[in-house]
Amino acid sequence: MLDSVLYTMALTRLTGYNFHVAVRLFRELGDGKAVFDHRHDIAAVLPEATPRLQELLSNWDDALSRAEAELSFIEKNRIKPLLMGQPDYPQRLMDCPDAPILLFYMGTANLNQQRVINIIGTRHATVYGQDIIRNFLADLGAQGIQPLVVSGLAYGIDICAHREALANGFETVGVLAHGFDEIYPPRHRDTARQMLQQGGLLTEYMSQTRADKLNFVKRNRIVAGMCDATILVESASKGGGLITCSIAQDYGRSVFAFPGAVNAEYSMGCNQLIRNNGAELITSASDFIEAMGWQNDVLLQEAKSGGIERELFPNLSDDERRVVQLLSDRGDMQPNVLSLQANIPIGSLTALLFQLEMKGVVRQLAGGSYHLLR
């Protein structure tokens, strides 16, 4: 295991921000050690490998030296490495073509909970935005929905989302744009410490990695990819929140935005996104729960506690048969992928999956994927 982590860390150093190449090599060969073993014949594994990439992968000395130092750091600080493909790795990220092949994690939360959302927005949150988050999370809890809340620990909407999640008893995870040798911004350290006991902190970056602007942009793909839904609360006409929403759309995730006053600076991005059909308009937790089809959570839990008996000859609708066929052909699938492949809106699909689960045809796995019961 440690060997695999060591060589995978080195591979991330060698490939840099070429995430697609790192993922392709990792998936083709299984881990960083296997890539190292094939370092002199990498074109046989990846025919499209450029001469530059082949040259980079031929010499691992510096990368391995840096990885060895990092391995000592994470062991000393009890940081957990999460390799792509392992059970603890965020399974929703596995669908993303540019997912990190290695993550570093500190905390207590299961990153593969049944419901995972992110709440994002401007670093200049107004009282309006703060009130939205406070009411939204309180109402989710009141309606029996307790998702893992993900954000970026940044100023404004991010830190408000983390703090309100903590106040409502939700677990919350911050995705960092730097290594675990610092917390940025420093004034959020106390909240970060609380999150380690009621959620966690996650990063793809090794120690001694500065919180550069580009790193914040790159980490947005993790925020988007590890969640079922992205919720934009406030945003100017340009900003990181809009980038995250765009990434979430590319990943086939659900995107929502709260509208604001027409001339409000930090509602312009939300209004624009809604107008351009880049996000679904919501004004309350009830709107969101209905759009996601999560109103059946309580009913399903009650049914499970009573014991669901599988129907030998279930009567399936056309849409249900389409979903069953996809699961039969392709194996376990995340709801967002199923939604795209079956051409069924995510809200309708979630209700449909609920019916299939009640009939004993499918069941949801720990990472959120659905499994066909044969």
Side-chain angles (χ1 to χ4, degrees):
M1 169 62 180
L2 287 181
D3 236 21
S4 186
V5 170
L6 176 69
Y7 282 92
T8 300
M9 277 196 286
L11 178 60
T12 64
R13 295 286 294 181
L14 290 169
T15 52
Y17 287 134
N18 201 338
F19 303 118
H20 290 80
V21 167
V23 171
R24 175 76 186 279
L25 288 169
F26 193 91
R27 286 177 171 163
E28 287 288 337
L29 292 169
D31 68 357
K33 179 63 168 64
V35 178
F36 173 79
D37 292 340
H38 285 271
R39 64 192 181 281
H40 297 307
D41 64 338
I42 207 66
V45 179
L46 197 68
E48 65 269 31
T50 64
R52 171 63 177 157
L53 178 63
Q54 293 179 59
E55 181 184 352
L56 278 174
L57 293 177
S58 66
N59 187 349
W60 289 56
D61 292 349
D62 290 345
L64 280 171
S65 177
R66 177 68 181 87
E68 286 170 355
E70 190 66 18
L71 193 60
S72 297
F73 174 80
I74 66 173
E75 288 178 332
K76 179 181 177 181
N77 291 280
R78 298 181 181 178
I79 297 165
K80 186 174 184 178
L82 305 177
L83 283 170
M84 178 180 280
Q86 288 184 332
D88 290 344
Y89 183 94
Q91 297 301 301
R92 292 165 176 84
L93 268 178
M94 293 284 288
D95 300 323
C96 307
D98 55 355
I101 57 176
L102 175 66
L103 290 163
F104 303 101
Y105 180 57
M106 295 182 74
T108 58
N110 172 11
L111 302 179
N112 291 304
Q113 295 183 29
Q114 185 178 10
R115 307 300 185 200
V116 186
I117 64 172
N118 66 64
I119 298 176
I120 56 169
T122 179
R123 297 186 180 208
H124 306 281
T126 69
V127 172
Y128 170 71
Q130 294 170 35
D131 285 345
I132 283 177
I133 295 170
R134 184 177 304 111
N135 294 330
F136 178 73
L137 290 179
D139 288 348
L140 278 183
Q143 296 185 57
I145 305 295
Q146 289 196 310
L148 174 66
V149 178
V150 176
S151 200
L153 203 72
Y155 292 111
I157 295 299
D158 285 21
I159 195 62
C160 183
H162 291 307
R163 287 171 177 164
E164 289 300 329
L166 291 169
N168 282 278
F170 299 166
E171 291 182 310
T172 182
V173 168
V175 183
L176 309 179
H178 51 77
F180 272 122
D181 53 332
E182 66 171 319
I183 289 295
Y184 180 86
R187 68 174 61 180
H188 294 168
R189 282 177 183 156
D190 287 345
T191 301
R193 289 192 189 99
Q194 283 182 268
M195 290 165 65
L196 291 177
Q197 305 303 317
Q198 190 179 318
L201 301 173
L202 185 70
T203 185
E204 66 179 311
Y205 297 107
M206 295 186 190
S207 60
Q208 301 175 42
T209 302
R210 295 175 57 190
D212 292 331
K213 183 177 180 180
L214 183 60
N215 292 351
F216 285 98
V217 175
K218 298 296 182 184
R219 70 96 190 270
N220 289 346
R221 78 192 198 286
I222 302 174
V223 173
M226 67 181 290
C227 299
D228 299 308
T230 290
I231 302 169
L232 185 66
V233 175
E234 284 190 302
S235 173
S237 57
K238 293 182 180 179
L242 293 173
I243 294 173
T244 305
C245 289
S246 177
I247 296 170
Q249 280 185 305
D250 289 343
Y251 289 162
R253 303 298 195 264
S254 299
V255 179
F256 301 89
F258 281 91
V262 172
N263 296 316
E265 179 181 1
Y266 295 110
S267 288
M268 286 183 178
C270 293
N271 294 342
Q272 166 187 310
L273 198 65
I274 293 166
R275 184 180 66 247
N276 295 335
N277 297 317
E280 186 171 344
L281 183 153
I282 54 172
T283 60
S284 66
S286 295
D287 289 350
F288 175 71
I289 292 169
E290 182 178 354
M292 292 298 292
W294 289 359
Q295 64 268 46
N296 293 317
D297 275 16
V298 175
L299 292 174
L300 184 58
Q301 196 56 47
E302 290 174 353
K304 283 181 176 177
S305 64
I308 295 175
E309 292 187 13
R310 185 177 184 188
E311 296 180 22
L312 292 177
F313 304 102
N315 185 23
L316 303 182
S317 68
D318 290 343
D319 283 347
E320 287 174 336
R321 280 195 293 271
R322 198 183 326 161
V323 168
V324 168
Q325 190 61 54
L326 279 167
L327 291 173
S328 176
D329 292 343
R330 306 187 185 188
D332 302 343
M333 297 175 73
Q334 287 282 344
N336 57 289
V337 179
L338 263 173
S339 175
L340 288 172
Q341 297 294 327
N343 195 27
I344 300 172
I346 189 68
S348 301
L349 176 70
T350 308
L352 185 149
L353 288 168
F354 167 75
Q355 293 298 332
L356 288 173
E357 200 161 357
M358 291 292 285
K359 293 175 181 178
V361 177
V362 304
R363 69 181 176 91
Q364 190 174 33
L365 303 179
S369 295
Y370 277 85
H371 174 76
L372 180 63
L373 297 171
R374 300 181 184 277

